[in-house]
Amino acid sequence: MFLWWGIAGVLALAGIRDLRYRRIPNWLLVPPLVLAVVFAPWGLLGQDVSPADAYRQAGLGVGVALLILLPAWLLHEGIGAADVKLGMLIGAAFGYRILLIAMVVTLAMSAVIGLAIGWRRSRDAKLPMGTLLAVGSGVALRYHEVVTRWTGL
């Protein structure tokens, strides 16, 4: 349980730093990412799985984050490298299901905020994707059981 609160704290701090400074430093993301993978068998969400399955789920979470976020970063499509690392942290710590739910919530929030900004500002306005991803992961952690039951994910 302590690890869960630690990761939640890192997500909150990353979201605040991205909103305020438009940067999330590596020192904030890389150590928790490594710890989330190393301590995967202890299951941050209290999952009762074997150590091999826990490492597989952490690896799958990192892989899904890379598969979805890395191309957007490489194409310079509104996310930075820190956003990719933040997605990897969420995937490693909580698994690919939480990551996918967080990304859908993030996409929805981005669309709503983007439309609001688009009506008021220029097209060059940039959203703090790390902040939105941190908030989306909080929503995903809170409501993942409901979403899982509803979608069968």
Side-chain angles (χ1 to χ4, degrees):
M1 187 57 99
F2 173 74
L3 292 173
W4 188 93
W5 285 107
I7 297 295
V10 167
L11 292 174
L13 186 56
I16 291 167
R17 285 192 62 94
D18 192 34
L19 187 61
R20 186 168 184 181
Y21 302 111
R22 303 304 301 231
R23 292 185 56 89
I24 305 172
N26 283 335
W27 61 260
L28 181 60
L29 296 177
V30 175
L33 174 59
V34 171
L35 291 173
V37 172
V38 169
F39 290 107
W42 287 271
L44 295 177
L45 290 178
Q47 304 131 330
D48 188 23
V49 296
S50 70
D53 283 342
Y55 284 124
R56 184 182 57 77
Q57 288 178 12
L60 192 56
V62 170
V64 168
L66 286 171
L67 183 68
I68 294 171
L69 296 172
L70 190 60
W73 175 68
L74 291 172
L75 295 172
H76 306 286
E77 293 296 327
I79 68 168
D83 302 325
V84 176
K85 288 177 259 187
L86 188 62
M88 292 168 55
L89 173 59
I90 295 165
F94 304 116
Y96 76 94
R97 289 179 180 94
I98 299 287
L99 174 67
L100 290 175
I101 295 167
M103 293 179 91
V104 169
V105 171
T106 300
L107 180 63
M109 287 187 303
S110 299
V112 170
I113 294 170
L115 287 172
I117 288 175
W119 287 331
R120 297 183 151 202
R121 296 186 185 167
S122 72
R123 292 181 52 96
D124 295 333
K126 295 184 179 181
L127 297 175
M129 294 307 294
T131 301
L132 296 175
L133 192 54
V135 171
S137 66
V139 172
L141 286 167
R142 174 65 179 96
Y143 295 105
H144 75 278
E145 292 173 350
V146 173
V147 173
T148 302
R149 258 192 317 254
W150 185 56
T151 62
L153 181 65

